[in-house]
Amino acid sequence: MRGFGFGGGFGDAQRGAPQRGGRDLLDEVVIDLKDAYFGKVHTVKFSSNVTCDKCHGNGTDDGKPAPLCSRCGGSGFVQTRQGFFVTESPCPECNGLGRKISKKCSECDGSGTQHKQRTLEVKIPAGIEDGARLRLAGQGEAGANGGPAGDFYLDVRVRPDKRFERSGADLIMRVDVPFAVLALGGEIEVETIDDKKLAVPSGTQVGEKLRVRGHGMPNPRRSGGFGDLYIDVAIKIPTKLTDKQKNLLNEFANQKSDKKGWF
């Protein structure tokens, strides 16, 4: 789990006390192409600073906002003049909080935050592409002095698939088809991404690319839409033939046809 940047800046929303947004958090997950097709819920377990349950982020023993610091007036900073120059530094009286806590919270020791184990359920949408980043607003680290929490980001990587090449919402695969099926047509066992069987038209040629509409990836840019599946057709030649099969092939090869080509 990585933290980066700040979820917010400084402000005066809490009656002059400086607020500071919590850090954003970043994590990464690697999923299979099939997970990208159907979508999934990814569970993230990590630890980070959260708002203290007892003092509600105020850092006080009674859970109420502490009075403004009298030295810095609630700004959290004091100025020191040296000749023509003025320097600004955190107030030593309130340590830059802008509020003077007389009795600290026993749970967080006045910090207003606690370090705890957390679990997030991140919904990875169907059709997500490799390198996409998901954002969960307000699920980063807690801010200081009531400042906003940071955000949680999840970078999604899609593992390369042995069967399919992806091009946007379209999928491309290579299929070895028996030459008899190419000539006569028929159903073939093709393990599509959505586990369907496909029919090959008779007369399909080796090297031809078949287009199967709607059997690609979900297309998040089109509501309810899917890409297409393209099949590069290759021929599957048997390595061992029976005598009967050889005789049938010889008979076929000796037949004269007015058309060029096998099929």
Side-chain angles (χ1 to χ4, degrees), residues 37 194 212-217 226-229:
Y37 178 86
D194 50 351
V212 187
R213 295 182 181 274
H215 285 271
M217 298 291 291
F226 286 79
D228 298 329
L229 171 64

Side-chain angles (χ1 to χ4, degrees), residues 104-197:
K104 295 180 179 180
C105 171
S106 59
E107 291 293 326
C108 65
D109 195 32
S111 68
T113 61
Q114 295 173 296
H115 203 72
K116 287 188 174 183
Q117 292 291 325
R118 300 176 58 192
T119 300
L120 283 181
E121 302 289 336
V122 184
K123 185 178 180 180
I124 299 176
I128 194 167
E129 296 191 17
D130 179 54
R133 173 171 286 184
L134 302 177
R135 173 176 175 259
L136 278 69
Q139 294 296 328
E141 289 200 332
N145 273 346
D151 297 332
F152 180 88
Y153 294 90
L154 182 68
D155 284 347
V156 181
R157 309 296 306 186
V158 181
R159 188 178 289 110
D161 193 90
K162 295 180 180 179
R163 296 172 298 151
F164 301 101
E165 178 185 342
R166 185 176 183 179
S167 178
D170 295 331
L171 294 175
I172 304 168
M173 68 183 304
R174 181 182 182 274
V175 176
D176 293 327
V177 182
F179 64 88
V181 176
L182 291 177
L184 301 174
E187 196 174 71
I188 57 173
E189 293 284 344
V190 175
E191 190 178 352
T192 63
I193 190 73
D194 50 351
D195 299 323
K196 304 293 183 182
K197 293 180 181 179

Side-chain angles (χ1 to χ4, degrees), residues 4-44:
F4 60 100
F6 290 99
F10 293 94
D12 58 358
Q14 201 180 69
R15 293 194 299 167
Q19 294 180 327
R20 188 178 68 188
R23 290 193 312 163
D24 294 332
L25 299 177
L26 174 66
D27 199 16
E28 182 180 84
V29 62
V30 181
I31 63 175
D32 294 327
L33 184 64
K34 204 157 189 175
D35 290 329
Y37 178 86
F38 289 105
K40 66 175 297 185
V41 175
H42 176 64
T43 302
V44 185

